[in-house]
PDB file of all heavy atoms in Angstrom:
ATOM      1  N   VAL K 316      -1.314   4.351  -9.655  1.00 81.00           N
ATOM      2  CA  VAL K 316      -1.786   3.879  -8.391  1.00 81.00           C
ATOM      3  C   VAL K 316      -0.744   4.200  -7.277  1.00 81.00           C
ATOM      4  O   VAL K 316      -1.114   4.510  -6.117  1.00 81.00           O
ATOM      5  CB  VAL K 316      -2.039   2.344  -8.416  1.00 81.00           C
ATOM      6  CG1 VAL K 316      -2.404   1.850  -7.022  1.00 81.00           C
ATOM      7  CG2 VAL K 316      -3.144   2.024  -9.397  1.00 81.00           C
ATOM      8  N   THR K 317       0.522   4.109  -7.636  1.00 89.00           N
ATOM      9  CA  THR K 317       1.596   4.245  -6.652  1.00 89.00           C
ATOM     10  C   THR K 317       1.739   5.675  -6.206  1.00 89.00           C
ATOM     11  O   THR K 317       1.925   5.963  -4.969  1.00 89.00           O
ATOM     12  CB  THR K 317       2.901   3.762  -7.257  1.00 89.00           C
ATOM     13  OG1 THR K 317       2.763   2.514  -7.814  1.00 89.00           O
ATOM     14  CG2 THR K 317       3.944   3.702  -6.124  1.00 89.00           C
ATOM     15  N   ILE K 318       1.597   6.676  -7.066  1.00 91.00           N
ATOM     16  CA  ILE K 318       1.774   8.143  -6.731  1.00 91.00           C
ATOM     17  C   ILE K 318       0.766   8.495  -5.598  1.00 91.00           C
ATOM     18  O   ILE K 318       1.185   8.926  -4.537  1.00 91.00           O
ATOM     19  CB  ILE K 318       1.672   9.037  -7.923  1.00 91.00           C
ATOM     20  CG1 ILE K 318       2.890   8.813  -8.867  1.00 91.00           C
ATOM     21  CG2 ILE K 318       1.638  10.465  -7.481  1.00 91.00           C
ATOM     22  CD1 ILE K 318       2.951   9.655 -10.127  1.00 91.00           C
ATOM     23  N   PRO K 319      -0.525   8.269  -5.803  1.00 89.00           N
ATOM     24  CA  PRO K 319      -1.463   8.642  -4.763  1.00 89.00           C
ATOM     25  C   PRO K 319      -1.263   7.795  -3.490  1.00 89.00           C
ATOM     26  O   PRO K 319      -1.390   8.351  -2.336  1.00 89.00           O
ATOM     27  CB  PRO K 319      -2.812   8.427  -5.352  1.00 89.00           C
ATOM     28  CG  PRO K 319      -2.601   7.616  -6.580  1.00 89.00           C
ATOM     29  CD  PRO K 319      -1.282   7.892  -7.066  1.00 89.00           C
ATOM     30  N   THR K 320      -0.867   6.569  -3.687  1.00 86.00           N
ATOM     31  CA  THR K 320      -0.672   5.674  -2.464  1.00 86.00           C
ATOM     32  C   THR K 320       0.576   6.257  -1.707  1.00 86.00           C
ATOM     33  O   THR K 320       0.509   6.387  -0.418  1.00 86.00           O
ATOM     34  CB  THR K 320      -0.323   4.260  -2.928  1.00 86.00           C
ATOM     35  OG1 THR K 320      -1.272   3.778  -3.803  1.00 86.00           O
ATOM     36  CG2 THR K 320      -0.255   3.332  -1.680  1.00 86.00           C
ATOM     37  N   ALA K 321       1.567   6.743  -2.356  1.00 90.00           N
ATOM     38  CA  ALA K 321       2.750   7.255  -1.727  1.00 90.00           C
ATOM     39  C   ALA K 321       2.379   8.634  -1.062  1.00 90.00           C
ATOM     40  O   ALA K 321       2.960   9.010  -0.072  1.00 90.00           O
ATOM     41  CB  ALA K 321       3.956   7.464  -2.680  1.00 90.00           C
ATOM     42  N   ILE K 322       1.519   9.447  -1.791  1.00 91.00           N
ATOM     43  CA  ILE K 322       1.129  10.723  -1.192  1.00 91.00           C
ATOM     44  C   ILE K 322       0.369  10.400   0.215  1.00 91.00           C
ATOM     45  O   ILE K 322       0.684  11.043   1.233  1.00 91.00           O
ATOM     46  CB  ILE K 322       0.278  11.412  -2.171  1.00 91.00           C
ATOM     47  CG1 ILE K 322       1.054  11.914  -3.304  1.00 91.00           C
ATOM     48  CG2 ILE K 322      -0.460  12.636  -1.427  1.00 91.00           C
ATOM     49  CD1 ILE K 322       0.278  12.756  -4.430  1.00 91.00           C
ATOM     50  N   ILE K 323      -0.539   9.439   0.109  1.00 88.00           N
ATOM     51  CA  ILE K 323      -1.154   9.100   1.396  1.00 88.00           C
ATOM     52  C   ILE K 323      -0.214   8.574   2.432  1.00 88.00           C
ATOM     53  O   ILE K 323      -0.193   8.888   3.562  1.00 88.00           O
ATOM     54  CB  ILE K 323      -2.299   8.091   1.093  1.00 88.00           C
ATOM     55  CG1 ILE K 323      -3.449   8.716   0.330  1.00 88.00           C
ATOM     56  CG2 ILE K 323      -2.845   7.502   2.484  1.00 88.00           C
ATOM     57  CD1 ILE K 323      -4.629   7.910   0.011  1.00 88.00           C
ATOM     58  N   GLY K 324       0.728   7.748   1.919  1.00 88.00           N
ATOM     59  CA  GLY K 324       1.671   7.136   2.796  1.00 88.00           C
ATOM     60  C   GLY K 324       2.573   8.203   3.467  1.00 88.00           C
ATOM     61  O   GLY K 324       2.879   8.120   4.710  1.00 88.00           O
ATOM     62  N   GLU K 325       2.988   9.252   2.730  1.00 90.00           N
ATOM     63  CA  GLU K 325       3.843  10.293   3.296  1.00 90.00           C
ATOM     64  C   GLU K 325       3.055  10.979   4.410  1.00 90.00           C
ATOM     65  O   GLU K 325       3.520  11.254   5.529  1.00 90.00           O
ATOM     66  CB  GLU K 325       4.273  11.307   2.218  1.00 90.00           C
ATOM     67  CG  GLU K 325       5.072  12.444   2.747  1.00 90.00           C
ATOM     68  CD  GLU K 325       4.279  13.585   3.376  1.00 90.00           C
ATOM     69  OE1 GLU K 325       3.219  13.941   2.886  1.00 90.00           O
ATOM     70  OE2 GLU K 325       4.791  14.141   4.418  1.00 90.00           O
ATOM     71  N   SER K 326       1.678  11.332   4.151  1.00 90.00           N
ATOM     72  CA  SER K 326       1.004  12.027   5.188  1.00 90.00           C
ATOM     73  C   SER K 326       0.723  11.125   6.383  1.00 90.00           C
ATOM     74  O   SER K 326       0.778  11.645   7.483  1.00 90.00           O
ATOM     75  CB  SER K 326      -0.297  12.584   4.579  1.00 90.00           C
ATOM     76  OG  SER K 326      -1.030  11.587   3.949  1.00 90.00           O
ATOM     77  N   LEU K 327       0.587   9.883   6.126  1.00 88.00           N
ATOM     78  CA  LEU K 327       0.418   8.883   7.214  1.00 88.00           C
ATOM     79  C   LEU K 327       1.706   8.793   8.121  1.00 88.00           C
ATOM     80  O   LEU K 327       1.575   8.892   9.321  1.00 88.00           O
ATOM     81  CB  LEU K 327       0.058   7.482   6.591  1.00 88.00           C
ATOM     82  CG  LEU K 327      -0.407   6.405   7.476  1.00 88.00           C
ATOM     83  CD1 LEU K 327      -1.278   5.499   6.556  1.00 88.00           C
ATOM     84  CD2 LEU K 327       0.647   5.606   8.111  1.00 88.00           C
ATOM     85  N   LEU K 328       2.819   8.704   7.447  1.00 87.00           N
ATOM     86  CA  LEU K 328       4.068   8.646   8.169  1.00 87.00           C
ATOM     87  C   LEU K 328       4.270   9.935   9.016  1.00 87.00           C
ATOM     88  O   LEU K 328       4.719   9.960  10.177  1.00 87.00           O
ATOM     89  CB  LEU K 328       5.252   8.372   7.288  1.00 87.00           C
ATOM     90  CG  LEU K 328       5.315   7.003   6.729  1.00 87.00           C
ATOM     91  CD1 LEU K 328       6.445   6.882   5.773  1.00 87.00           C
ATOM     92  CD2 LEU K 328       5.414   5.950   7.864  1.00 87.00           C
ATOM     93  N   SER K 329       4.055  11.054   8.331  1.00 90.00           N
ATOM     94  CA  SER K 329       4.188  12.364   9.052  1.00 90.00           C
ATOM     95  C   SER K 329       3.170  12.436  10.199  1.00 90.00           C
ATOM     96  O   SER K 329       3.437  13.004  11.286  1.00 90.00           O
ATOM     97  CB  SER K 329       3.955  13.542   8.091  1.00 90.00           C
ATOM     98  OG  SER K 329       4.944  13.453   7.042  1.00 90.00           O
ATOM     99  N   PHE K 330       1.978  11.887   9.998  1.00 89.00           N
ATOM    100  CA  PHE K 330       0.894  11.874  11.012  1.00 89.00           C
ATOM    101  C   PHE K 330       1.479  11.115  12.251  1.00 89.00           C
ATOM    102  O   PHE K 330       1.236  11.530  13.387  1.00 89.00           O
ATOM    103  CB  PHE K 330      -0.337  11.263  10.412  1.00 89.00           C
ATOM    104  CG  PHE K 330      -1.478  11.053  11.362  1.00 89.00           C
ATOM    105  CD1 PHE K 330      -2.300  12.157  11.662  1.00 89.00           C
ATOM    106  CD2 PHE K 330      -1.714   9.829  11.978  1.00 89.00           C
ATOM    107  CE1 PHE K 330      -3.313  11.982  12.549  1.00 89.00           C
ATOM    108  CE2 PHE K 330      -2.835   9.750  12.878  1.00 89.00           C
ATOM    109  CZ  PHE K 330      -3.593  10.775  13.188  1.00 89.00           C
TER     110      PHE K 330
END
Side-chain angles (χ1 to χ4, degrees):
Chain K
V316 174
T317 309
I318 291 179
T320 309
I322 288 177
I323 291 183
E325 181 279 320
S326 52
L327 194 152
L328 290 176
S329 301
F330 177 80

